């Protein structure tokens, strides 16, 4: 009996030993303990995604929340090469894969959707597609996803695929399957279950959250910036989440400069509103609303803007008002002697589907 009881507590000596071990690891990694997000300024702020913690990312429609989450998935599976499990409650798997492909290959989503791409876009598709073929990304789609289905799928994937991190696109679409509960109670129970699952299975969970329409009725630059109170069923999310980030695009609300005159066109702001034992701040990333590319731009020596990095040197982040002079063309209209096209046809057995 005493031996069983000993498993339920730990003395201060052991706790201090564990704490100092963590400090040594952080020192060796220069501060980051968790899985890198792929955005260094954000890693400097939150320390990456740490095991056992729940991260909530809130955003209104058209703010780039899903693109931001997809960008982090791409960074993790390709840079860190760690297995990722993603749950889609709003879209089919095919829609997510198409958007992911458009982002990684830097191709406008509509060009990819219509199959009409410029020659350089076909070449980029051929060049980068191979990186994704064996990437450790696993996806599950289900509208009104039952919580027990989510946890069972996640547990199986952790055991069979060695999943290191879990993404869920929408907290409010997870169904607790208890018809007697009101929305607030359901969100509270789902958040508590996610928190327990993350802790027991030692994986970070990143979950997107809807925001209320209140933002749309507020005026001014600061009025449009999301606050914790804008989270739907905010009190339960605030209390149980370890880190809360908000995704905001001032340009969407026709704010093209901030209060100190920095250009906000094509920029997305990640606002850290809760950050357990760490500072609160915000960072700006570059956002292309045609391709969905989210990246950190390289610093320019001639400007005071400090957030100018780019993930891939050959990815061009195009401004919203920029226009291409090249004409998109479909696969069937391309010359079959084109090397990129021949490789795509061979890799995906397209001869019978696309006759030349």
């Amino acid at each position: 009996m005493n031996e069983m009881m000993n498993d339920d507590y730990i003395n201060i000596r052991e706790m201090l030993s564990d704490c100092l071990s963590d400090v040594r690891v952080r020192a060796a990694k220069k501060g980051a303990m968790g899985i890198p997000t792929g955005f260094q300024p954000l890693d400097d702020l939150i320390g990456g995604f740490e095991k056992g913690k729940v991260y909530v990312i809130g955003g209104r429609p058209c703010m780039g929340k899903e693109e931001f989450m997809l960008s982090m998935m791409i960074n993790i599976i390709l840079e860190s090469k760690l297995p990722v499990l993603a749950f889609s409650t709003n879209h089919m798997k095919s829609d997510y894969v198409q958007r992911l492909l458009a982002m990684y290959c830097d191709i406008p989503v509509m060009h990819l959707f219509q199959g009409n791409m410029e020659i350089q876009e076909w070449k980029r598709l051929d060049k980068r597609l191979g990186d994704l073929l064996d990437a450790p990304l696993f996806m599950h789609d289900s509208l009104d996803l039952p919580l027990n289905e989510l946890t069972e799928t996640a547990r199986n994937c952790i055991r069979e695929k060695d999943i290191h991190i879990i993404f869920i696109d929408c907290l409010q679409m997870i169904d607790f399957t208890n018809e007697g509960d009101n929305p607030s109670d359901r969100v509270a129970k789902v958040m508590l279950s996610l928190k327990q699952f993350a802790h027991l299975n030692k994986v970070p969970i990143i979950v997107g959250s809807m925001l209320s329409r209140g933002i749309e009725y507020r005026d001014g630059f600061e009025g449009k910036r999301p606050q914790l109170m804008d989270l739907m069923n905010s009190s339960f999310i605030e209390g149980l989440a370890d880190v809360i980030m908000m995704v905001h695009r001032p340009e969407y609300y026709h704010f093209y400069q901030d209060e100190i005159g920095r250009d906000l066109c094509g920029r997305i702001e990640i606002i850290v509103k809760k950050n357990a034992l760490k500072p609160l701040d915000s960072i700006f990333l570059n956002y292309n609303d045609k391709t969905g590319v989210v990246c950190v731009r390289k610093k320019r020596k001639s400007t005071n803007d400090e957030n100018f990095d780019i993930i891939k040197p050959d990815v061009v982040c195009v401004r919203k008002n920029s226009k291409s002079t090249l004409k998109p063309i479909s696969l069937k209209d391309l010359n079959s002697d084109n090397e990129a096209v021949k490789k795509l046809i061979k890799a995906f057995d397209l001869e019978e589907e696309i006759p030349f």
Side-chain angles (χ1 to χ4, degrees):
M1 180 68 178
N2 288 338
E3 289 181 2
M4 291 178 63
M5 291 290 291
N6 287 341
D7 292 335
D8 296 334
Y9 58 83
I10 184 172
N11 64 38
I12 185 66
R13 178 182 290 274
E14 292 176 82
M15 287 188 288
L16 285 172
S17 176
D18 291 342
C19 179
L20 290 175
S21 295
D22 287 345
V23 170
R24 284 197 295 270
V25 171
R26 289 191 182 96
K29 294 184 176 181
K30 298 183 179 179
M33 273 290 288
I35 296 170
T37 65
F39 302 112
Q40 190 59 51
L42 184 60
D43 289 336
D44 292 340
L45 192 56
I46 67 171
F49 294 128
E50 297 187 50
K51 293 178 180 179
K53 293 189 175 182
V54 176
Y55 299 76
V56 172
I57 300 176
R60 289 289 295 156
C62 304
M63 292 297 109
K65 177 184 66 179
E66 291 180 351
E67 288 85 350
F68 176 53
M69 294 176 73
L70 276 170
S71 295
M72 292 188 289
M73 290 185 216
I74 293 172
N75 294 334
I76 292 168
I77 62 176
L78 295 181
E79 300 299 325
S80 300
K81 301 189 185 304
L82 296 175
V84 171
L85 174 61
F87 287 93
S88 170
T89 61
N90 278 330
H91 307 282
M92 293 187 297
K93 292 189 287 286
S94 56
D95 294 331
Y96 260 104
V97 171
Q98 188 174 72
R99 292 169 67 190
L100 184 147
L101 190 61
M103 291 172 63
Y104 185 64
C105 297
D106 195 30
I107 298 171
V109 176
M110 283 306 297
H111 287 195
L112 194 63
F113 175 75
Q114 296 169 346
N116 292 323
M117 294 183 285
E118 298 167 1
I119 242 333
Q120 292 303 318
E121 292 168 351
W122 283 109
K123 289 181 178 179
R124 277 204 302 277
L125 181 62
D126 166 60
K127 179 181 177 182
R128 298 182 183 176
L129 196 60
D131 296 341
L132 295 173
L133 291 178
D134 297 314
L137 175 61
F138 305 89
M139 191 164 287
H140 176 92
D141 62 352
S142 175
L143 296 179
D144 290 328
L145 175 65
L147 180 63
N148 58 354
E149 182 180 327
L150 185 154
T151 54
E152 183 180 355
T153 301
R155 197 175 290 110
N156 290 338
C157 283
I158 290 171
R159 182 177 62 253
E160 297 170 7
K161 305 298 182 182
D162 193 28
I163 294 298
H164 278 57
I165 187 167
I166 296 171
F167 285 82
I168 307 167
D169 64 354
C170 186
L171 171 65
Q172 285 78 15
M173 294 292 285
I174 301 173
D175 183 12
F176 195 72
T177 64
N178 190 338
E179 296 180 1
D181 288 337
N182 60 43
S184 295
D185 289 340
R186 285 201 296 271
V187 167
K189 290 176 179 178
V190 168
M191 277 296 297
L192 182 58
S193 295
L194 293 179
K195 182 92 170 178
Q196 291 171 336
F197 187 92
H199 178 72
L200 289 173
N201 293 277
K202 295 180 172 54
V203 294
I205 295 178
I206 295 83
V207 58
S209 176
M210 298 178 183
L211 299 184
S212 71
R213 293 190 182 94
I215 296 173
E216 311 302 324
Y217 304 108
R218 299 200 297 258
D219 296 326
F221 184 83
E222 284 299 322
K224 295 301 183 186
R225 294 180 89 233
Q227 306 297 327
L228 285 175
M229 65 180 181
D230 297 316
L231 288 164
M232 295 182 71
N233 315 115
S234 61
S235 59
F236 301 106
I237 300 173
E238 286 179 48
L240 292 168
D242 294 285
V243 176
I244 299 176
M245 294 176 266
M246 302 291 190
V247 179
H248 176 51
R249 280 205 302 135
E251 182 183 18
Y252 179 82
Y253 297 108
H254 309 294
F255 293 102
Y256 304 108
Q257 286 187 335
D258 65 9
E259 63 278 4
I260 60 174
R262 288 183 301 183
D263 184 12
L264 298 176
C265 293
R267 310 301 297 278
I268 185 172
E269 185 180 15
I270 310 301
I271 310 165
V272 179
K273 301 297 291 185
K274 179 181 179 181
N275 195 15
L277 303 178
K278 302 183 185 77
L280 302 179
D281 206 342
S282 68
I283 66 167
F284 277 97
L285 302 172
N286 196 48
Y287 175 70
N288 184 332
D289 63 352
K290 293 182 176 64
T291 64
V293 170
V294 179
C295 56
V296 191
R297 295 195 212 162
K298 285 186 179 174
K299 238 182 239 188
R300 291 179 180 173
K301 294 181 180 178
S302 58
T303 183
N304 291 326
D305 193 324
E306 296 184 354
N307 296 291
F308 266 60
D309 260 83
I310 199 162
I311 296 172
K312 295 180 72 65
D314 52 344
V315 171
V316 180
C317 298
V318 185
R319 284 290 176 90
K320 190 173 183 178
N321 58 359
S322 64
K323 294 182 179 179
S324 172
T325 58
L326 300 176
K327 180 182 177 182
I329 52 179
S330 65
L331 180 56
K332 66 181 180 181
D333 295 327
L334 283 169
N335 186 336
S336 60
D337 291 331
N338 182 283
E339 195 62 32
V341 176
K342 287 200 298 186
K343 289 173 68 177
L344 282 172
I345 290 173
K346 183 178 179 181
F348 291 93
D349 298 322
L350 297 178
E351 285 108 332
E352 295 181 4
E353 299 177 21
I354 315 273
F356 287 98

